[in-house]
């Protein structure tokens, strides 16, 4: 439905129906939280939606994560294409197909047609991330997979309930191909019940207002969002903006970052995004299928229109060009489970372009989502011997125009996610958390600093045949600052074997790594990039950051040029030496451009000698090293320096 030929609803009825649709979806979420089996779903890695009879999105929930909602209409429409003319009341269908507009195989959608009498009037959809869908490694994230056959079970549209009767055979076949079939069956019933909650609410509205008005309301809420969005776009100047961000590497093609190029054009009340020039698909799971790329565009752009509801009306003004077989337009059977890595690059690129158009909402780069997955035999629990540890951490968002970035916040791909409680993870997995705290000096320095990241360290307890995978990025394409702001820090994981003193750096990309009882694994998350020249930050704000333990005294001097003396750390008393600060800032201004252009090999030598640290390498010298050996990565450094020159050096005065 794209037009309304009947008399419009009166304003009160329209507003009641608009909010009732959203409330129905929120109630789906409450149902899932109380009935799900998987710990990952309990921590809100899910979303729900209400669709009209054509599959167009009518409403999402208030906390549904952005990465999903821009794809729900695609999977609903694929189910319609498959079962059109065969649907019955009580049917529920499943789909997880990334190539049909989904995200990755772990996001399994259950879709229920809603009938009033014998007339199909709507669909409800529940999407949950199942912690395992089979494939070559526990958690179904094998970064070395080149195609989907090593990733997971691909579910093309299939019935799980037929006229209200549970299809045990189909559900059992799907569950049997996973490492935790009991939880899978439980989550199927939880999601199916969530779709029934929306069905109940829609039919209640039909009984109260009549079918015609409810259907008209579904149409009008989409028209309303389209109209409001087009008006705002039309009020902006026409023009073209472009930028580039990077994935760290293609594991099968040597050193060098993978570019994602985005050009945005506003013309009248329409917006076009062009990804021409983006890299071809790569030999890992870090590819995005077209539906996920569309969702990234929507999520990034919607950040700048926070007051508008999100439904298919918002999508009507957007068009996309994505080259075939590129990292942002992968086709079957290319591996796509790690689509979140290009997804968040697209979001941050869009943040950067929209920051030029709406400087009052400008924001620097946010940290990159990371997933730690481990699985094996839990020797503590003979009744459920296989464990599936699946965890993500919060980090920092970019500094903003006039404000520091958000500290310790869930990733930009889905702010509805919860930070998983240690106690919950320790209960269901053989792990113990030994450290979880805000990470000092993780925030990208700026006039307005980025938000802070965290450091988490855990120990593997009684287990057997356990392996670990780490899915992350920005170990090399380090979180960047803008308008003269500085980068954050590299991502990556270190492991210290039981009984050993030294840790080994594993980096941000590995799968199927054997781990044993007593092994300790530690990982930081980056902060957000800095916004504006850090030498222009109010020294008092730097002192407050030192008091809060967000910034060390050493980095206050090295990054901000602020000289601070500790008076009494227990009483949080620190003094600023203003004359020394003025002198140091003048010295830094005279030297920093030269530092940023120092020969990379010289930087590497200083790092290997211990004369500078990782933060100096990235923030002062804009060099990317192999963080285990200290050797220069020449192509990566060239790419990173180009970004640093444009986003940072060019804005220093």
């Amino acid at each position: 439905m794209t037009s309304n030929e009947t008399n419009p609803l009166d304003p009160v009825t329209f507003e009641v129906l608009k909010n009732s649709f959203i409330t129905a979806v929120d109630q789906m979420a409450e149902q899932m939280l109380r009935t799900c089996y998987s710990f990952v779903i309990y921590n809100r890695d899910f979303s729900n939606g209400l669709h009209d009879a054509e599959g167009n999105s009518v409403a999402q929930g208030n906390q549904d994560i952005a990465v999903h909602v821009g794809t729900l209409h695609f999977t609903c429409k694929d189910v319609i294409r498959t079962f059109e003319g065969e649907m019955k009341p009580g049917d529920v269908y499943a789909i997880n197909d990334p190539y049909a507009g989904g995200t990755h195989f772990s996001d399994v959608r259950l879709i229920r047609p809603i009938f009033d009498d014998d007339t199909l009037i709507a669909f409800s959809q529940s999407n949950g991330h199942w912690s395992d869908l089979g494939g070559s490694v526990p958690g179904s994230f094998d970064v070395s997979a080149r195609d989907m056959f090593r990733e997971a079970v691909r579910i093309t549209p299939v019935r799980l309930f037929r006229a209200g009767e549970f299809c045990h055979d189909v559900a059992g076949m799907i569950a049997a191909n996973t490492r935790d079939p009991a939880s899978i069956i439980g989550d199927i019933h939880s999601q199916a019940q969530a779709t029934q909650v929306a069905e109940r609410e829609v039919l209640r509205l039909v009984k109260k207002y009549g079918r015609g008005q409810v259907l008209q309301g579904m149409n009008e809420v989409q028209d309303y969002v389209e109209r409001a969005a087009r008006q705002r776009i039309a009020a902006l100047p026409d023009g073209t903006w472009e930028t580039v961000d990077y994935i760290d590497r293609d594991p099968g093609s040597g050193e060098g970052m993978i570019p994602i190029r985005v050009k945005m054009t506003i013309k009248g009340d329409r917006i076009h995004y062009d990804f021409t020039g983006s890299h071809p698909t790569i030999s890992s799971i870090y590819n995005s299928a077209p539906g996920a790329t569309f969702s990234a565009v929507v999520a990034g752009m919607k950040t700048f229109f926070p007051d508008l509801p999100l439904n298919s009306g918002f999508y009507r003004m957007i068009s996309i060009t994505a080259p075939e077989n590129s990292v942002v337009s992968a086709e079957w059977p290319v591996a796509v489970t790690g689509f979140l890595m290009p997804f968040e690059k697209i979001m941050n690129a869009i943040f950067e372009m929209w920051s030029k158009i709406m400087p009052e909402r400008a924001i620097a780069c946010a940290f990159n989502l990371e997933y730690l997955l481990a699985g094996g035999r839990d020797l503590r629990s003979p009744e459920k011997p296989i464990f599936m540890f699946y965890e993500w951490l919060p980090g920092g968002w970019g500094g903003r125009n006039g404000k520091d970035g958000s500290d310790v916040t869930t990733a930009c791909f889905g702010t509805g996610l919860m930070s998983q409680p240690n106690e919950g993870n320790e209960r269901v997995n053989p792990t113990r958390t030994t450290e979880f705290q805000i990470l000092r000096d993780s925030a990208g320095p700026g006039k307005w600093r980025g938000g802070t990241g965290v450091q988490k360290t855990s120990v593997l307890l009684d287990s057997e045949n356990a392996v670990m995978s780490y899915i992350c990025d920005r170990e090399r394409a380090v979180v960047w600052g803008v308008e003269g702001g500085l980068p954050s820090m590299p991502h990556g994981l270190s492991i210290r074997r039981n009984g050993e003193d030294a840790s080994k750096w594993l980096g941000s990309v590995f799968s199927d790594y054997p781990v044993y009882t007593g092994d300790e694994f530690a990982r930081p998350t980056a902060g957000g990039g800095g916004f504006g020249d850090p030498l222009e930050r109010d020294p008092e704000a730097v002192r407050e950051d030192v008091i809060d333990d967000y910034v060390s005294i050493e980095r206050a001097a090295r990054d901000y040029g602020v000289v601070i003396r500790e008076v009494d750390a227990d009483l949080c008393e620190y003094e600023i030496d203003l004359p020394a600060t003025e002198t140091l800032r003048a010295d830094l201004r005279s030297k920093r451009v030269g530092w940023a252009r120092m020969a990379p090999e010289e930087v590497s030598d200083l790092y290997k000698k211990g004369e500078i640290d990782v933060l100096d390498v990235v923030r002062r010298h804009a060099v990317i090293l192999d963080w285990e050996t200290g050797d220069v990565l020449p192509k990566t450094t060239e790419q990173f320096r180009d970004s640093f020159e444009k986003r940072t050096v060019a804005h220093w005065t």
Side-chain angles (χ1 to χ4, degrees):
M1 302 179 194
T2 58
S3 63
N4 179 27
E5 298 178 354
T6 61
N7 293 326
L9 297 172
D10 67 85
V12 173
T13 302
F14 169 79
E15 196 66 24
V16 168
L17 288 175
K18 175 171 70 74
N19 289 291
S20 294
F21 298 147
I22 296 171
T23 299
V25 182
D26 282 339
Q27 289 179 345
M28 295 173 70
E30 294 301 315
Q31 176 74 18
M32 289 183 69
L33 286 171
R34 285 160 174 76
T35 60
C36 65
Y37 277 57
S38 295
F39 189 64
V40 60
I41 293 180
Y42 178 75
N43 285 282
R44 299 201 73 101
D45 195 347
F46 67 78
S47 59
N48 298 288
L50 179 65
H51 308 267
D52 64 23
E54 296 177 0
N56 302 307
S57 290
V58 171
Q60 68 167 97
N62 282 304
Q63 285 189 266
D64 286 334
I65 59 178
V67 68
H68 297 155
V69 296
T71 66
L72 296 180
H73 63 297
F74 290 128
T75 45
C76 189
K77 289 175 182 287
D78 201 55
V79 165
I80 293 172
R81 281 191 292 270
T82 302
F83 292 101
E84 191 168 14
E86 304 175 27
M87 295 179 177
K88 302 293 182 184
D91 281 0
V92 178
Y93 310 96
I95 180 175
N96 77 340
D97 191 352
Y99 313 108
T103 47
H104 54 191
F105 299 104
S106 300
D107 290 335
V108 184
R109 293 103 190 274
L110 268 62
I111 299 171
R112 178 186 296 270
I114 300 173
F115 289 83
D116 178 38
D117 294 330
D118 292 327
T119 301
L120 176 63
I121 61 171
F123 292 87
S124 56
Q125 180 169 186
S126 172
N127 176 39
H129 184 120
W130 294 359
S131 58
D132 187 86
L133 259 293
S136 55
V137 299
S140 310
F141 280 78
D142 183 350
V143 294
S144 65
R146 292 173 177 262
D147 55 48
M148 60 147 287
F149 305 111
R150 289 180 59 184
E151 293 190 280
V153 175
R154 179 189 182 194
I155 307 171
T156 54
V158 62
R159 275 192 184 89
L160 286 183
F161 290 81
R162 185 186 296 272
E165 292 295 322
F166 184 46
C167 300
H168 295 273
D169 52 350
V170 178
M173 183 274 294
I174 294 171
N177 282 278
T178 75
R179 292 172 176 83
D180 190 5
S183 293
I184 298 304
I185 296 298
D187 289 334
I188 286 173
H189 285 289
S190 173
Q191 291 179 240
Q193 287 296 311
T195 63
Q196 196 168 34
V197 167
E199 177 187 51
R200 180 192 68 209
E201 289 302 299
V202 169
L203 294 180
R204 182 183 65 82
L205 292 172
V206 168
K207 184 175 180 180
K208 181 175 181 179
Y209 292 98
R211 182 196 301 169
Q213 286 205 314
V214 170
L215 295 181
Q216 189 173 340
M218 291 182 178
N219 184 29
E220 287 194 21
V221 295
Q222 296 176 62
D223 290 347
Y224 160 75
V225 170
E226 178 187 10
R227 188 166 58 250
R230 286 185 183 276
Q231 287 174 350
R232 296 191 190 186
I233 298 304
L236 298 172
D238 287 357
T240 297
W241 297 260
E242 56 187 305
T243 189
V244 60
D245 203 352
Y246 297 93
I247 299 169
D248 279 352
R249 74 197 87 176
D250 180 347
S253 298
E255 182 258 325
M257 297 192 292
I258 306 303
I260 296 176
R261 303 187 184 279
V262 192
K263 179 186 291 185
M264 180 179 74
T265 300
I266 295 178
K267 186 173 183 180
D269 62 357
R270 293 194 58 81
I271 299 182
H272 183 71
Y273 292 91
D274 187 350
F275 290 89
T276 299
S278 296
H279 197 278
T281 55
I282 60 178
S283 59
S284 82
I285 63 175
Y286 291 1
N287 298 291
S288 177
T293 294
F294 177 85
S295 183
V297 167
V298 169
M301 182 176 161
K302 178 65 171 63
T303 304
F304 287 78
F305 300 89
D307 58 310
L308 290 180
L310 184 60
N311 58 37
S312 286
F314 194 83
Y315 310 154
R316 296 173 186 166
M317 61 174 175
I318 299 171
S319 59
I320 293 176
T321 297
E324 292 183 3
N325 299 312
S326 66
V327 72
V328 295
S329 187
E331 301 290 341
W332 180 89
V334 172
V336 294
T337 295
F339 81 98
L340 284 162
M341 303 309 135
F343 186 100
E344 291 195 355
K345 307 307 184 300
I346 296 169
M347 282 194 71
N348 279 288
I350 289 174
F351 286 172
E352 184 178 25
M353 292 185 293
W354 275 96
S355 292
K356 302 294 185 183
I357 301 169
M358 295 183 176
E360 71 279 6
R361 300 191 63 86
I363 185 171
C365 183
F367 87 106
N368 205 99
L369 180 74
E370 48 89 68
Y371 287 144
L372 177 62
L373 304 101
R377 186 173 181 82
D378 186 350
L379 298 181
R380 311 169 308 160
S381 179
E383 70 278 2
K384 187 182 178 184
I386 294 179
F387 77 92
M388 268 306 313
F389 178 70
Y390 174 37
E391 185 183 51
W392 57 82
L393 294 179
W397 282 48
R400 295 165 287 178
N401 188 359
K403 294 182 180 179
D404 292 340
S406 297
D407 301 309
V408 190
T409 304
T410 50
C412 61
F413 99 102
T415 53
L417 281 175
M418 293 173 60
S419 180
Q420 298 181 23
N422 296 331
E423 298 81 1
N425 259 327
E426 291 172 350
R427 179 177 179 180
V428 299
N429 300 296
T431 62
R432 182 178 66 248
T433 300
T434 59
E435 177 191 24
F436 191 22
Q437 62 180 343
I438 291 176
L439 181 57
R440 182 193 303 124
D441 295 326
S442 58
K447 184 176 182 179
W448 295 286
R449 63 162 175 80
T452 54
V454 300
Q455 172 78 29
K456 185 166 187 178
T457 304
S458 302
V459 176
L460 187 65
L461 302 181
D462 296 339
S463 59
E464 189 174 76
N465 299 326
V467 296
M468 179 181 291
S469 299
Y470 192 54
I471 314 304
C472 190
D473 208 62
R474 296 209 186 275
E475 179 186 1
R476 300 176 179 180
V478 178
V479 173
W480 35 266
V482 296
E483 303 293 326
L486 296 179
S488 173
M489 55 174 287
H491 275 154
L493 182 145
S494 299
I495 189 164
R496 184 172 62 83
R497 293 296 192 187
N498 186 22
E500 296 183 0
D501 294 329
S503 295
K504 177 180 176 60
W505 174 261
L506 298 181
S508 62
V509 181
F510 62 86
S511 288
D512 210 21
Y513 187 83
V515 286
Y516 307 96
T517 300
D519 287 352
E520 181 181 78
F521 44 97
R523 67 204 204 267
T525 60
F531 188 106
D533 188 342
L535 300 186
E536 296 179 6
R537 185 167 176 81
D538 183 349
E540 180 59 30
V542 178
R543 188 179 80 93
E544 288 295 325
D545 284 342
V546 170
I547 290 172
D548 291 335
D549 204 24
Y550 293 167
V551 175
S552 66
I553 289 178
E554 179 185 13
R555 299 267 19 136
R558 296 180 75 81
D559 293 332
Y560 295 97
V562 177
V563 180
I564 295 177
R565 182 176 66 87
E566 178 187 307
V567 178
D568 190 324
D570 291 336
L571 296 177
C572 295
E573 290 186 7
Y574 297 86
E575 290 182 349
I576 301 170
D577 186 332
L578 287 176
T581 293
E582 292 177 4
T583 300
L584 179 57
R585 284 187 160 180
D587 185 57
L588 293 177
R589 284 192 177 95
S590 69
K591 295 177 178 177
R592 59 184 178 176
V593 173
W595 283 335
R597 296 169 182 171
M598 181 184 291
E601 291 75 16
E602 293 182 35
V603 177
S604 173
D605 289 341
L606 293 173
Y607 177 75
K608 290 178 179 179
K609 293 175 182 177
E611 297 180 19
I612 59 175
D613 63 12
V614 170
L615 297 182
D616 292 322
V617 172
V618 171
R619 294 175 182 174
R620 282 195 167 184
H621 303 292
V623 171
I624 303 298
L625 306 176
D626 180 315
W627 301 116
E628 185 176 17
T629 66
D631 295 335
V632 175
L633 301 176
K635 183 176 180 181
T636 299
T637 293
E638 180 183 355
Q639 294 167 311
F640 186 75
R641 280 194 161 181
D642 181 65
S643 166
F644 192 82
E645 286 280 340
K646 293 175 181 176
R647 292 178 169 126
T648 299
V649 175
H651 298 273
W652 288 341
T653 57

